Amino acid sequence: MSNLFDLLVAGLATGAIYALVAVGFTLLWQTSQTINFAQGEFVMLPAFLMLAAMHVGAPFWLAIILGILLSMILLGLAFKMLLVDPMMRHGVLPLAIATMALAIGIKEAVKQFFSAEASPFPSIVPTGDISVLGHAVSLQSIGVLVVAILAVFGLTTLLNRTSLGHQMQAAAQNPTVARIIGVPVERMILLTFLINAFLVALASLLITPIYLAKFSSGEVLGQAAFIAAIVGGFNQVRGAIAGGLLIGVLDNLAAAYVSTQYRAAVPMIFLIAVILFRPQGLLGRAEERTV
Amino acid sequence: MKSTLLVGALLTAITTTGAFAQTIKLADVAELSGGGATVGTNWKNGIDLAIEEINAKGGVLGRKLEVTHADSQSNPGVARAQVQKALDAEPYVLLGPGYSGSVKVTAPLAAEAGIAQIMGGEAAELTQAGNKFLFRTSFGQQSSMPKVAKYIHDDMKAKTVAVVWVNNDFGKGGRDVIIKDLEARGTKVVADLSTEAGQADFAADVGKIKAANPDAVFIYLNEEESARILKEIKRQGVTAPLMGETTLIGQKVIELAGDAANGARGHVGLTTDAPVDLIKGFRDRFNKKYNYVPDHNGLKGYLAVYMVKATTEKMGKVDPKAFADTLHGLTIKASEEPGILMDVTFDQNGDIDRQSFLVEVVDGKQLVKQVLPKLK
């Protein structure tokens, strides 16, 4: 029983990170029909940007700020202007393929400039345990959960309670009408790219101390987050959050109770079931656009 | 210009006096470039140091040693071609390569030529194919795992153990040997956990270890995965002592895992930190000549040449055909041949038996805690 509790906590912590990444997936899809297959690499890169900043002498806190800012410039602004905008005109599929190419490019560049070997990455949460309901739970797991929940809470507040959020919703639901009523649609789309870049940088900061900084670490994450987004509902932020948590827990339970070899297959099988029986995702709604 | 003249003069002197015919020719094929460059360069430098020392003391049976170095580029295909080329020159003994994969493809060539091959590979299967010309310079898994099992049973006093291994040839090979040995000693394996190469998330695996509540945990993974599981073990607060082989307590793992590596113990076959005077002397001489401290591959290359010396002196003649037969079953004592650094025995498969070391990570540093005696 204590084993199950530990697995649930660990699964939720991993799932919270998947959720951050999956939310980014849905944001980009909703506002610009971009399926970003480089999303996993987007999570891998910020850690290396932070490491590079530390390498030139920046303290950890400054490296975090620099890493997040650089990520927003590279993975938000530059990604949109240099890749998404020119490719968008040619449809969803060419753009998706272009992001696959980008994924390979980022991976190989990191391998080239840093190394093919893993590097250690400091944790923002100190190691140690606290007792929850009589169980020892690591501070790291709790830290990851708390930061992820705060980020998601902040995002949903922005989207649902502010004028800016409402403009973003309008730009996603019906860009033409939004334009007519004076919503700066282009700026709203750019904003979602910047938010996505911020979320992946945050996910990078949380996951890298556990997974280590390595050029290939985005592969697993990108796939898990993609599955999470579809399972939850590709057109709903709350769907992506639920999907992320669910896949995190499912993955851990599968590794413990099914087998380590087949752990990666279990979320996939779940995905197939969802597509067959509830194609819009668990929380998604058919034929609707909203962020 | 001056040096060219000198070399020319020396060459003339050598060829005219016939000293060339008197040298014993060794051929080395090693990973001098590519991914294994550190391995191969250490190995080569160890060889060169040993040859320099031996020649300075008059050589082997009065004849000087001479070696040619060829680069395998860390590529089994290139290694095969280089070994074929080296064998065509009919060396006395073939040295290298260091990578098990390269050894695997070159060993049949040397065996066919009837030339003994002294190499650096550690995969268990290398010496299990019935090759009568292949010799190790370090432990294979079948030699190291029984030592680990003995330590877990006798010193850690573990009645139950969890075994975590990586699902590839390396991990499975080690797992099979240690589980058999642990059970033969009466230590019960309460969790037998296979993990994947490149696995990032070890939460579930460590959860299983926790649930099994073993007296000790044996971890046999590659370096990066070792670091990840050590962190997860610390995160989940597993308190059972951790035991591993060379990979668990390597410098890279300590760097990646940080303080999560503290307390982990491991068995190491060769280390320049060993509390053995002859090894310290080797380390100092190597450092003086090359200006850096070698890893275990430097030791392996050095030992390979002294294996040639001791075996040849035992035969009392330079006979490439009888070399392998003589080395099988031979015990070389450090008291008689200081260059061998520690007493060593070769069995009929070319595997070695030698004392080894129990290392513990203390404050982020490897500390040799205990010297484990030879098995026989």
Side-chain angles (χ1 to χ4, degrees):
Chain A
M1 196 54 210
S2 81
N3 189 22
L4 182 65
F5 183 85
D6 290 337
L7 284 171
L8 282 177
V9 173
L12 283 175
T14 321
I17 294 165
Y18 292 165
L20 287 181
V21 186
V23 165
F25 259 122
T26 57
L27 283 180
L28 296 194
W29 170 251
Q30 289 304 97
T31 54
S32 65
Q33 283 75 60
T34 305
I35 302 176
N36 181 19
F37 282 113
Q39 189 81 342
E41 280 64 34
F42 275 31
V43 181
M44 173 271 293
L45 187 65
F48 280 97
L49 296 174
M50 293 172 199
L51 280 178
M54 279 192 280
H55 190 72
V56 295
F60 186 41
W61 63 268
L62 183 62
I64 293 175
I65 296 173
L66 286 175
I68 292 177
L69 285 178
L70 269 175
S71 300
M72 288 171 80
I73 293 170
L74 288 174
L75 306 177
L77 191 66
F79 172 56
K80 179 176 184 298
M81 289 173 59
L82 300 179
L83 195 126
V84 177
D85 287 348
M87 291 303 293
M88 200 62 237
R89 283 171 246 139
H90 305 288
V92 172
L93 201 56
L95 178 56
I97 291 169
T99 62
M100 289 178 195
L102 180 66
I104 298 171
I106 294 177
K107 229 171 10 192
E108 293 303 317
V110 167
K111 194 159 89 178
Q112 186 80 32
F113 286 117
F114 291 86
S115 127
E117 286 187 42
S119 310
F121 191 85
S123 170
I124 50 165
V125 190
T127 50
D129 291 330
I130 56 166
S131 183
V132 178
L133 304 173
H135 293 279
V137 178
S138 84
L139 281 173
Q140 264 189 324
S141 296
I142 293 181
V144 168
L145 263 173
V146 168
V147 174
I149 289 170
L150 283 179
V152 168
F153 180 75
L155 181 68
T156 43
T157 310
L158 172 79
L159 291 177
N160 298 328
R161 312 237 174 232
T162 66
S163 156
L164 191 66
H166 292 146
Q167 291 184 55
M168 286 171 73
Q169 302 263 23
Q173 281 167 15
N174 195 329
T176 318
V177 176
R179 252 183 217 108
I180 293 169
I181 59 171
V183 173
V185 172
E186 281 311 307
R187 209 184 300 162
M188 291 303 122
I189 293 176
L190 175 63
L191 194 59
T192 56
F193 275 80
L194 292 177
I195 292 175
N196 178 51
F198 176 78
L199 291 177
V200 290
L202 200 60
S204 189
L205 185 63
L206 295 175
I207 195 85
T208 316
I210 303 166
Y211 283 11
L212 303 173
K214 191 173 181 185
F215 74 98
S216 58
S217 63
E219 293 163 11
V220 183
L221 272 171
Q223 188 189 321
F226 187 62
I227 295 174
I230 299 177
V231 163
F234 221 96
N235 55 8
Q236 289 284 339
V237 164
R238 60 198 168 94
I241 297 165
L245 294 174
L246 195 63
I247 294 297
V249 171
L250 196 65
D251 179 47
N252 265 282
L253 293 181
Y257 297 114
V258 183
S259 99
T260 319
Q261 284 92 331
Y262 292 108
R263 74 184 294 174
V266 174
M268 294 276 202
I269 293 167
F270 186 61
L271 170 72
I272 293 170
V274 167
I275 289 176
L276 286 179
F277 299 108
R278 201 175 155 77
Q280 69 271 40
L282 295 178
L283 296 181
R285 269 174 268 175
E287 298 297 315
E288 186 192 15
R289 289 208 177 288
T290 176
V291 287
Chain B
M1 191 61 202
K2 214 174 189 178
S3 59
T4 325
L5 279 175
L6 195 64
V7 171
L10 272 173
L11 273 175
T12 322
I14 289 167
T15 42
T16 49
T17 56
F20 192 71
Q22 290 298 311
T23 60
I24 299 172
K25 288 192 292 174
L26 305 177
D28 169 39
V29 176
E31 292 74 11
L32 301 178
S33 66
T38 322
V39 175
T41 308
N42 271 292
W43 167 266
K44 170 186 178 288
N45 289 344
I47 290 173
D48 285 342
L49 177 64
I51 289 182
E52 187 183 290
E53 286 175 15
I54 292 170
N55 285 346
K57 288 182 188 157
V60 178
L61 302 176
R63 291 166 67 175
K64 297 260 159 108
L65 292 176
E66 183 190 271
V67 68
T68 54
H69 296 289
D71 182 10
S72 76
Q73 299 168 16
S74 309
N75 175 332
V78 178
R80 200 177 149 87
Q82 292 286 13
V83 162
Q84 189 58 63
K85 197 173 147 195
L87 290 172
D88 288 345
E90 295 179 2
Y92 177 46
V93 173
L94 175 68
L95 307 175
Y99 268 19
S100 294
S102 294
V103 172
K104 203 171 159 182
V105 297
T106 57
L109 297 177
E112 199 176 307
I115 301 287
Q117 180 177 12
I118 302 177
M119 52 82 182
E122 296 183 6
E125 58 174 328
L126 295 177
T127 50
Q128 289 168 349
N131 185 328
K132 288 290 163 211
F133 294 88
L134 195 61
F135 296 90
R136 289 187 196 275
T137 47
S138 58
F139 290 116
Q141 289 161 339
Q142 63 277 57
S143 318
S144 55
M145 288 304 163
K147 288 200 173 201
V148 176
K150 188 169 185 293
Y151 183 82
I152 291 175
H153 181 265
D154 295 356
D155 294 72
M156 290 174 130
K157 310 253 179 261
K159 293 200 168 44
T160 56
V161 64
V163 176
V164 192
W165 48 284
V166 55
N167 193 6
N168 58 21
D169 287 343
F170 157 80
K172 181 129 185 16
R175 176 248 175 216
D176 290 349
V177 182
I178 198 153
I179 287 195
K180 209 171 122 197
D181 214 281
L182 282 169
E183 283 174 345
R185 286 172 199 276
T187 298
K188 197 165 167 243
V189 178
V190 287
D192 179 14
L193 303 173
S194 142
T195 67
E196 293 303 300
Q199 186 173 323
D201 192 334
F202 284 93
D205 308 277
V206 175
K208 281 188 195 167
I209 296 175
K210 228 176 154 182
N213 195 24
D215 294 339
V217 185
F218 175 69
I219 301 168
Y220 199 55
L221 309 176
N222 295 115
E223 272 90 351
E224 282 170 19
E225 291 83 347
S226 292
R228 291 193 189 108
I229 201 169
L230 284 173
K231 287 181 145 206
E232 188 61 36
I233 282 174
K234 188 176 161 74
R235 200 159 81 112
Q236 293 198 24
V238 173
T239 50
L242 311 174
M243 179 71 189
E245 233 286 306
T246 314
T247 47
L248 183 68
I249 36 92
Q251 209 51 53
K252 183 75 191 169
V253 179
I254 296 176
E255 181 200 329
L256 290 174
D259 59 358
N262 286 338
R265 282 176 261 187
H267 170 260
V268 175
L270 283 171
T271 165
T272 50
D273 291 327
V276 173
D277 288 339
L278 287 171
I279 293 181
K280 283 184 192 149
F282 158 80
R283 182 185 151 123
D284 292 344
R285 291 194 301 279
F286 191 104
N287 198 1
K288 199 173 158 209
K289 182 167 160 73
Y290 299 107
N291 231 349
Y292 75 100
V293 175
D295 67 6
H296 62 288
N297 293 296
L299 274 161
K300 287 190 201 174
Y302 184 81
L303 293 171
V305 177
Y306 276 97
M307 282 162 66
V308 173
K309 177 172 185 274
T311 310
T312 309
E313 287 175 349
K314 169 89 182 165
M315 288 192 289
K317 58 182 176 179
V318 178
D319 182 353
K321 299 291 169 208
F323 185 94
D325 281 345
T326 312
L327 190 47
H328 282 133
L330 184 67
T331 296
I332 308 170
K333 288 196 179 305
S335 54
E336 291 159 14
E337 176 49 79
I340 210 75
L341 306 177
M342 291 181 284
D343 292 0
V344 59
T345 301
F346 295 86
D347 72 7
Q348 291 308 317
N349 295 325
D351 282 319
I352 65 170
D353 186 10
R354 184 164 55 199
Q355 67 177 16
S356 54
F357 307 95
L358 195 282
V359 174
E360 183 173 336
V361 181
V362 179
D363 294 329
K365 286 199 177 63
Q366 285 185 11
L367 211 69
V368 176
K369 291 291 242 195
Q370 199 179 327
V371 178
L372 304 176
K374 282 173 75 178
L375 282 171
K376 287 167 198 154

